[in-house]
Amino acid sequence: MSIVTKRGDRGTTGLMYNRQVSKCHPRVEAYGAVDELNAAIGLARAAAQHDLLRDNLTTIQKDLVVLMGELATVAEDLPRYVKDGHSLVTPAMTSSLEKWIAELEAAQVSGKGWAMPGANTSSAALDLARTVCRRAERRACALQETGQLHNPEIIVYLNRLSDLLWVLARWVEAKQR
């Protein structure tokens, strides 16, 4: 099957379970921003010099696939989505981010110079991912404000992830000095 389907040529796209919406629908904006975040984290993972960082970023990317799937599913289809074996974003996912943040903060990472990304390729990629994460969080908040976000843990997860990406960028800068 070709990637060229022409189904989107009129400005619509499909959500889970064949629901069609405009390509600029807030739900599409939200999962699209998370897709960009996943790509940015992929770049950060490719630039990483440490196995621990690469492995954990891979885990986060898998979490983001879960998050995108949930965002691409309207509330009335969620029971079917879960029945079909798909996962939802959980507090346990957020807790794993918080645990990693605590471990990094225990290393007393400095925030000096954080406003000027680019100390090295790896930290710059993490800072880019952080800013994309903040955009994804804003898009999820827009969904929440219109009553279309059924799981508030999505915003919590994205907020914590942006915190983690900030700390990771500082950790990488300290490691590569």
Side-chain angles (χ1 to χ4, degrees):
M1 179 174 179
S2 173
I3 188 71
V4 179
T5 64
K6 300 182 183 181
R7 287 189 297 243
D9 290 355
R10 293 197 175 142
T12 62
T13 192
L15 300 176
M16 292 296 290
Y17 304 108
N18 297 315
R19 294 192 183 263
Q20 293 294 305
V21 296
S22 168
K23 287 186 178 187
C24 63
H25 187 282
R27 183 169 298 286
V28 178
E29 287 286 344
Y31 74 68
V34 176
D35 189 22
E36 291 176 49
L37 170 59
N38 196 10
I41 290 177
L43 176 64
R45 184 170 52 87
Q49 307 263 326
H50 304 279
D51 289 338
L52 174 70
L53 182 56
R54 278 190 296 274
D55 292 345
N56 282 296
L57 290 177
T58 299
T59 299
I60 289 168
Q61 287 183 283
K62 290 175 183 176
D63 287 350
L64 292 177
V65 170
V66 169
L67 199 151
M68 281 187 285
E70 186 173 348
L71 284 174
T73 308
V74 296
E76 51 268 24
D77 289 336
L78 277 177
R80 178 180 175 190
Y81 184 75
V82 171
K83 185 178 177 189
D84 287 347
H86 300 289
S87 300
L88 302 177
V89 176
T90 65
M93 292 165 66
T94 303
S95 292
S96 68
L97 299 178
E98 290 171 348
K99 180 182 176 204
W100 198 13
I101 291 168
E103 290 170 7
L104 292 166
E105 287 179 335
Q108 299 181 345
V109 175
S110 170
K112 185 178 180 183
W114 75 270
M116 187 62 68
N120 58 60
T121 303
S122 184
S123 69
L126 288 162
D127 276 319
L128 176 63
R130 174 186 51 81
T131 63
V132 175
C133 187
R134 287 292 187 201
R135 180 162 24 94
E137 182 182 5
R138 292 189 301 271
R139 298 299 184 258
C141 286
L143 272 183
Q144 182 176 21
E145 287 180 5
T146 61
Q148 297 178 68
L149 186 71
H150 37 272
N151 183 357
E153 191 65 30
I154 288 172
I155 293 172
V156 177
Y157 181 89
L158 290 170
N159 187 35
R160 213 64 78 248
L161 179 55
S162 64
D163 293 340
L164 174 61
L165 292 167
W166 185 88
V167 174
L168 283 172
R170 308 297 70 82
W171 179 81
V172 166
E173 288 170 353
K175 286 279 188 197
Q176 293 186 0
R177 281 191 185 132

